[in-house]
Amino acid sequence: MRTNIKTAIVLTVAITSSVLFTSCTSADKAESTTETTAINAAGTTDADAHSGTHTYACPMHPEVTGKEGDMCPKCGMKLEHNDNAGKSNGKAYVMNVKTTPATIEAGKAGLFSFTPGVKDKEGELVPLDLHHERKIHLIVVSKDLSYFEHIHPDYQASGTYDLAVLPANKAYTAGANKNETHFAKGGEYILFADYTPTGGTPQLEKINLTVGGTPYKPVTYSSPKLSSTVDNYTLELVPEGNQFEVGKLAHIEGVLKKDGKVMDAATLENYLGAKAHMVVVGIDDKNYLHVHPEVVNGKFDLHTTFEKAGIYRGWVQFQDGGKIRTMDYVIAVK
Amino acid sequence: MNKRTQLMALVAAFFGLIGFQTATAHGGEDHGAATAPTGQAMTYFTSQAISDKYEVVLHYEPLEVGEAGKLRLYINEFDTNRPVDGATLQISSPDDEKLTIAVKPIGKGIYELTGTFPAKKAYSLTISLNAKPGADLLLLAGIEVGKDLPVATTAEPTTAHTHWYDNTFVLLGGGLLLGMGLMFFLMRLRNRRVAVSIAVLLGILPTANWQRANAHGGEDHGGGTAGGGATSSTFAIPKETQFLFNILTQRLQAGEQAQTTTVAGTVQPSSTGQAVVQSPQVGRLTSLQVRVGQTVSKGQTLAVVEQTIDAPTQINLESERNTLTAELQVARKEYDRLKTIEDIVAKRDLTEAEARLTRAQANLKVFSGITRSGGSNARSISLKAPVGGIVGPFTAAIGSTVNVGETLFTVTNLGKVYIEAQVFDKDLAVLRSAKSFGVAGVNDTGKSGVARLLSQAQTINASNQSQRLLFEMDNAGGAFKIGEFVNIRVQSARGTRGLSVPNSAISEMNGKAVVFIKDAPEVVSLAYVTTGADNGQFTQILTGVEADERVIVTGTYQAKMIYLNQ
């Protein structure tokens, strides 16, 4: 009798414990199956993505890769998930520029037509990705870096990205910084066309331009200028350690003041998808750098690395009250 | 080791085992671009591209190599999600120059592409499109040819998620073995009471409700995820559904939102806006020079009334005239006589005679003035419009007799009207800092005007404690009629800067305000927001959304239903 009771107890406990285990896990299984149904465009399942480690790359400098949360030392942008980073699609892109007339004259009407293309594959259409809300960012500087303009050619039905050059007496149709420009003086200019072909890597085309007419008087920059005032806004750049050093990731703090009072940079309007944009061009080598400041505690926080010593010109653009303001700087890197 | 410690160790070991949590929390994955809603088998492939103007989505069923395949292209405006109609499309492929794709519009913003893909590979299509928002060039990448749809994954979980504890048989066997082993030890215990209580406890334990937390969140869903589990705030709305339900979006931009309030009012004629024309005396209407509804200018003759005089009055008048004429003759004679003997008469008498003559002349002149017709028994009076305006309905007819003070015409000028509004205390703050007053009809919202505040209230309506304000409004077209009810939208000069959305964008979920944000062409996410001031049309959003995000403003209800049914 006692043995029978013993056996019954043994069986009861054994069965209940096994039931307990199975019931605990059945819910998990249902959960895990639903997670695998998301399928990406190429038809691969999530499992593929889960199995490998992710690559994070700078959206502007795809050669810069790292892990999540890292920052690009060149432009200070947060690295974004991009498993195709560093894998070129094997195409060499080129930006073809045509001007009408062949030589743009200062103070006269003209037209720039930009056509992105693939080297050795004439006629291939190159769709461009949006980056910072535009397909092409065109930076126009005079060779002495005294003149700066950031504009955006517009795609036309003809298949080119056009930019109108206005005659001296004609005002901008929809305000400055859009798809029009003008040249008050002739001389040497440099155009930087910043674009990303769809499926390709970011491209930068440096185009030298000679504008006819009375040339501008070149300005030489030697002493640093780290505070700039436009309208009632003042933006002061304060580098960490109070100096810019070669090859070191520079942390630059930007203190914005409006009417003499410190203003929270986070309250600025978005301009092209960011609170501010900074362009830096070297006086000597005319190397171009596009930096995106972050806003930390109401102040701009810029990160960049200067690879060579020398004098740089910098321009910061931001928008408030519907108006874009361009601040200019002279940066001495030692 | 005594028996008690041995027992404790055993029990602890057992609880340690059942306490073991099967941590399969799902988080941190990047799902990439997905195409099918969760839990459903995929029926088509997707490829999409966006620009600053357009969103282009391509849906296609598996394409066979060398066979004509049909693909469906959805085009909508990027900011508004409005389908793009009548687009001119030119489609080519950078992978194959010879590839030709025919385009046929089959619906609003929907185009059918037909083409034969010669090779088994992933194609890209360059879409050159031109429509009302402008020209654009986009690339649709990764169009799979010769590839079957992935099998619905609910059937077979992938190895990545298979664990030993997922297998029921392993668990059952393991549990059985464990239980038997446990009992073997229990049986050997001397203390039967302890053994039995443990056995009973183990029998009861499984009846407890074991809930495991299934954490799901924090995923980076990448460009186009179809949403995770039911707890995710991101969900998919296929393009055809968006078009069908007319889901439209608006891009958030920081702007000034003025404080506004609406007060009700009634249109009244302005002080110079309405005039009546009355007959100054009894007479007969001999001429009527206007029609009902005619626009007249100030001073224009409306009608002529002929004064009629009866016989006794006529006799009285004539005798009065004779008396006055006689008096004049007497006065003149007396004056002339005194004048000839001027040297000897008293100066006072001469002055008196002169005054008498002057008075008699004046009296006759006044009399003749009144009875201008000079003996005839009738005279005419022209009735003139005192203000410019429109002649209202009248009943006077030619030939009818009119009495003194009888109103013959009403001339109304709607060019300027007054609006009387009753304003309550709560609206006064906005009214004081008001910048503009917009007026709209209550019944006919199509008409609008701009009013000016004429006078603040001097008294308060005792019955409802409202203040009576008077506004003046230009109403050149005469759209607003006297007596009409209108709404006056008072816009304050004080505005607050921030993000605001149309009221139609906000819906409610679990008692909290939410908006739906379109993250990608076919992906929408739910955002809990805190709302600020509501001006009747727009509500300010304090937290929960950011500038440049695209918020669903039309079809919000449908989006909510899709979210709840996911």
Side-chain angles (χ1 to χ4, degrees), chain A residues 2-51 54-56 68 80-83 89 91 93 116 118 121-130 133-135 153-161 197-200 267-275 319-323, chain B residues 14 17-18 22 24 26 28-40 42 45-47 50-53 60 78 92 94-95 97 125-130 135-139 141-142 144 147 150-154 156-158 160-161 165-169 171-180 182-184 186-187 192 196 199 202-203 205-206 210 212 214-216 219-220 224-229 251 254 497 547-548:
Chain A
R2 176 165 282 190
T3 332
N4 282 353
I5 294 169
K6 273 185 199 169
T7 322
I9 291 171
V10 168
L11 281 173
T12 317
V13 172
I15 291 165
T16 49
S17 55
S18 62
V19 166
L20 177 68
F21 275 114
T22 46
S23 65
C24 270
T25 50
S26 57
D28 312 343
K29 228 171 95 177
E31 178 68 19
S32 57
T33 50
T34 52
E35 293 307 339
T36 55
T37 50
I39 291 153
N40 65 25
T44 52
T45 59
D46 260 358
D48 301 348
H50 289 176
S51 56
H54 295 309
T55 311
Y56 287 79
E68 191 178 6
E80 288 175 7
H81 171 241
N82 181 2
D83 282 336
N89 60 1
K91 286 180 181 172
Y93 293 99
V118 179
K121 263 187 109 175
E122 222 170 287
E124 182 173 330
L125 296 172
V126 180
L128 303 181
D129 269 349
L130 279 187
E133 300 185 356
R134 293 289 183 279
K135 291 193 168 185
D154 251 358
Y155 186 74
Q156 305 297 319
S158 58
T160 59
Y161 293 83
T198 308
T267 60
L268 289 175
E269 287 161 18
N270 275 4
Y271 172 52
L272 301 176
K275 292 291 173 199
Q319 183 176 314
D320 197 36
K323 201 181 157 195
Chain B
F14 180 77
L17 250 167
I18 62 161
T22 51
T24 53
H26 183 85
E29 291 89 335
D30 186 329
H31 290 282
T35 48
T38 307
Q40 288 171 24
M42 207 165 77
F45 289 102
T46 299
S47 176
I50 55 167
S51 75
D52 50 343
K53 297 186 191 104
Y60 57 99
F78 180 77
S92 59
D95 308 304
E97 285 168 21
L125 290 181
T126 306
I127 314 282
S128 172
L129 80 92
N130 195 1
D136 214 337
L137 187 68
L138 298 115
L139 187 80
E144 296 289 350
K147 198 165 176 177
V151 183
T153 44
T154 35
E156 198 67 43
T158 53
H161 285 283
Y165 50 76
D166 285 339
N167 192 320
T168 320
F169 296 105
L171 285 168
L172 203 73
L176 218 70
L177 272 173
L178 187 78
M180 282 167 93
L182 198 69
M183 274 322 289
F184 175 73
L186 282 176
M187 288 319 218
R192 293 286 169 214
V196 168
L202 288 178
L205 259 178
W210 293 91
R212 201 178 59 88
N214 288 317
H216 182 93
E219 290 90 334
D220 174 2
T225 311
R251 193 158 151 174
R497 206 165 172 76
D548 293 334

Side-chain angles (χ1 to χ4, degrees), chain B residues 438-459:
Chain B
V439 181
V442 171
N443 300 317
D444 178 5
T445 48
K447 50 193 180 188
S448 62
V450 177
R452 291 173 295 282
L453 185 62
L454 270 192
S455 79
Q456 297 274 2
Q458 309 303 318
T459 54

Side-chain angles (χ1 to χ4, degrees), chain A residues 73-74 206 243-250 280-289 304-313 330-334:
Chain A
K74 291 189 178 175
K206 192 168 152 189
Q243 60 173 359
F244 297 93
E245 281 180 61
V246 180
K248 207 176 135 190
L249 181 70
V280 178
V281 181
I283 292 264
D284 300 329
D285 56 6
K286 307 287 186 275
N287 263 354
Y288 166 96
L289 211 55
T304 190
T305 309
F306 294 98
E307 278 158 5
K308 276 186 200 165
I311 305 285
Y312 290 80
R313 283 278 282 157
V330 182
I331 297 164
V333 179
K334 284 170 187 157

